[in-house]
Amino acid sequence: MVNSNFLGLYIHIPFCSSKCAYCDFFSMRGNESRFSDYTEIVKKRIKFFSEKYGDRTVDTIYFGGGTPSIIGAERITDIIKTIKESFPVSEVCEITVEANPECVSQGFDFNILKNEGVNRLSLGMQTAVSEELSLLGRNHTNKDVMNAVANAKNSGISNISLDIMLGIPNQSELSLKETIDFCTGLDITHISSYILKIEENTLFWKRKDKYNFPDEDCQANLYLEACRLLEENGFMQYEISNFSKPGFESRHNLKYWNMENYLGIGPAAHSFIDGKRFNYDRSTEKFKNNIWNRDDDCSDIETYIMLKLRLKSGLNFDELKEHFGISVSQRFLTKAKAFQNAGYCNLQDSSVISLTPKGFLLSNSIIVELLETL
Ligand code: SF4
């Protein structure tokens, strides 16, 4: 949507030490030789894409997975060096690395990352309640989380995000509060809070009758309680699942929702550049052979509205008109007012519509109803 000269880079590292019970991401076990081979392929792809997009300035880099920290800090910085050799990189580039909390006890060195410009860390914590952690199949402890946060800060990386999960079997509002109190006590800047979805082909799917998963109402209450507690602690909601201290929103992830340019490198990684989408399949073999799929032009109005309504800042009608030449109809405004009266959205000066936490819970059906009135 935004044809700018800036580019976000996503690097997918598809390795994990074991598979979590709920995980549907593209990830596998690896070893030192596979990590090195994979690093070399990623570097090749970066150079390949720089031939086409090398005039763009990279202003965000995000290492996601999988568990990027598993390949070691040296391989991650090796990839960053290749990016810097291949693209102009902004002096204020946001560089995020996802890591698992136990990485420090396994010898991961944040100083090496910091020296190459990494300035943001995202830790997959999920919960501070040990019974919930073991149900999820996570191997770390709260002490690991505290160690990782302290080590990152000592190295100079103080922009730290924690992932937490809602809807874990047996989770209650009380246990959620325990998790949020733990996070907010750590002096971090960002929290992502995802509702657990039971995906096919996961251990949870196979055992879904054996666990006491919170039902939909209970999940909704957990979500609303998380929104309330996080805002009470200074973490402002800026997207359905994301909360930050002011000024610490994830600049990289905002590119996805604002339809700005991003290039995804790795199996299952998606790209969106100048209104065109393309992606790699969930296959290391295809990634190795540089086979990707090109989508049709997807920068359509529905995607735009859907993505904008994920954000707390919402959909601005003037911007909609500027991009698509379409003014919202009277029927749209009438529908939006009805949603506002029911507490699902805010309509500011009939020029911006944004969903409330209650509205975020029903965002799919609200968006469908709004689109029908355009
Ligand atoms: S660490 Fe993350 S990517 Fe790896 S198996 Fe667990 S949830 Fe999936």
Side-chain angles (χ1 to χ4, degrees):
M1 196 63 238
V2 179
N3 292 332
S4 84
N5 207 35
F6 290 102
L7 187 64
L9 268 190
Y10 173 79
I11 311 289
H12 190 72
I13 308 293
F15 302 107
C16 289
S17 54
S18 58
K19 195 75 178 167
C20 300
Y22 56 91
C23 180
D24 182 41
F25 294 128
F26 183 74
S27 69
M28 64 192 91
R29 286 176 191 242
N31 54 37
E32 289 298 313
S33 112
R34 289 184 83 182
F35 298 159
S36 293
D37 291 349
Y38 185 78
T39 302
E40 290 311 310
I41 301 169
V42 168
K43 286 162 59 183
K44 258 193 203 162
R45 292 293 155 264
I46 290 167
K47 287 179 190 151
F48 169 81
F49 282 112
S50 75
E51 282 169 24
K52 185 155 190 200
Y53 303 117
D55 57 336
R56 318 258 172 151
T57 300
V58 171
D59 62 346
T60 64
I61 301 171
Y62 193 105
F63 286 83
T67 308
S69 51
I70 204 172
I71 66 169
E74 289 82 359
R75 291 191 183 92
I76 292 174
T77 52
D78 195 15
I79 294 172
I80 296 174
K81 282 183 187 137
T82 302
I83 295 171
K84 289 177 177 171
E85 285 160 14
S86 312
F87 290 87
V89 174
S90 158
E91 277 183 17
V92 290
C93 187
E94 176 191 86
I95 309 182
T96 306
V97 173
E98 284 183 356
N100 266 1
E102 63 267 40
C103 66
V104 171
S105 57
Q106 294 163 349
F108 192 84
D109 188 350
F110 289 119
N111 289 300
I112 297 174
L113 294 187
K114 174 68 187 166
N115 289 340
E116 204 51 61
V118 173
N119 46 27
R120 190 168 181 275
L121 175 69
S122 174
L123 289 172
M125 183 191 111
Q126 313 312 347
T127 166
V129 178
S130 52
E131 295 79 20
E132 293 176 3
L133 271 177
S134 56
L135 272 173
L136 291 174
R138 302 299 298 242
N139 298 320
H140 64 265
T141 62
N142 287 351
K143 202 162 164 229
D144 289 323
V145 177
M146 290 191 282
N147 269 342
V149 169
N151 265 264
K153 286 190 175 192
N154 283 341
S155 75
I157 302 173
S158 54
N159 189 359
I160 299 172
S161 177
L162 298 177
D163 282 356
I164 62 172
M165 192 166 272
L166 309 173
I168 302 167
N170 303 327
Q171 193 175 31
S172 63
E173 286 182 27
L174 204 65
S175 71
L176 171 67
K177 184 171 183 321
E178 194 178 324
T179 294
I180 291 179
D181 285 348
F182 176 82
C183 296
T184 54
L186 285 175
D187 188 23
I188 50 153
T189 53
H190 189 281
I191 293 175
S192 298
S193 167
Y194 298 106
I195 296 181
L196 174 64
K197 267 177 62 193
I198 314 295
E199 308 278 5
E200 275 185 63
N201 303 320
T202 62
L203 196 64
F204 270 175
W205 179 268
K206 286 183 201 128
R207 299 190 185 160
K208 60 181 187 298
D209 298 328
K210 295 202 175 113
Y211 291 116
N212 177 27
F213 287 104
D215 62 20
E216 242 178 58
D217 285 348
C218 186
Q219 272 192 356
N221 286 339
L222 288 168
Y223 176 78
L224 295 175
E225 184 63 359
C227 294
R228 191 185 70 75
L229 287 171
L230 289 169
E231 294 229 347
E232 200 174 274
N233 283 283
F235 289 84
M236 308 318 284
Q237 184 168 27
Y238 68 99
E239 194 263 348
I240 292 183
S241 307
N242 285 283
F243 304 78
S244 77
K245 297 265 177 74
F248 289 95
E249 297 84 1
S250 162
R251 280 170 41 205
H252 182 83
N253 288 340
L254 278 169
K255 283 185 188 286
Y256 300 145
W257 305 311
N258 283 322
M259 292 175 85
E260 292 172 23
N261 295 326
Y262 54 86
L263 173 63
I265 293 181
H270 289 250
S271 301
F272 180 73
I273 302 182
D274 298 341
K276 302 283 177 202
R277 289 185 191 277
F278 51 98
N279 69 284
Y280 285 105
D281 279 340
R282 292 164 66 106
S283 153
T284 21
E285 213 36 49
K286 285 192 180 171
F287 175 60
K288 203 170 158 185
N289 293 318
N290 206 15
I291 298 168
W292 72 83
N293 312 306
R294 193 174 287 282
D295 294 353
D296 290 335
D297 190 342
C298 292
S299 64
D300 58 32
I301 189 164
E302 290 179 15
T303 310
Y304 179 87
I305 292 176
M306 198 189 71
L307 290 172
K308 285 290 181 185
L309 285 178
R310 290 184 66 109
L311 292 167
K312 195 75 186 279
S313 53
L315 171 71
N316 180 305
F317 301 153
D318 290 338
E319 288 173 8
L320 181 74
K321 181 148 195 220
E322 193 184 313
H323 292 310
F324 296 97
I326 287 181
S327 303
V328 296
S329 66
Q330 194 52 48
R331 280 180 64 218
F332 183 101
L333 288 174
T334 307
K335 184 63 100 180
K337 276 179 192 149
F339 282 134
Q340 177 168 250
N341 291 339
Y344 293 126
C345 73
N346 292 312
L347 194 56
Q348 297 147 34
D349 307 324
S350 292
S351 63
V352 177
I353 179 174
S354 57
L355 298 186
T356 60
K358 202 173 137 189
F360 281 139
L361 280 167
L362 294 177
S363 58
N364 288 346
S365 37
I366 290 176
I367 290 166
V368 168
E369 285 198 42
L370 287 172
L371 285 173
E372 281 169 2
T373 63
L374 260 189

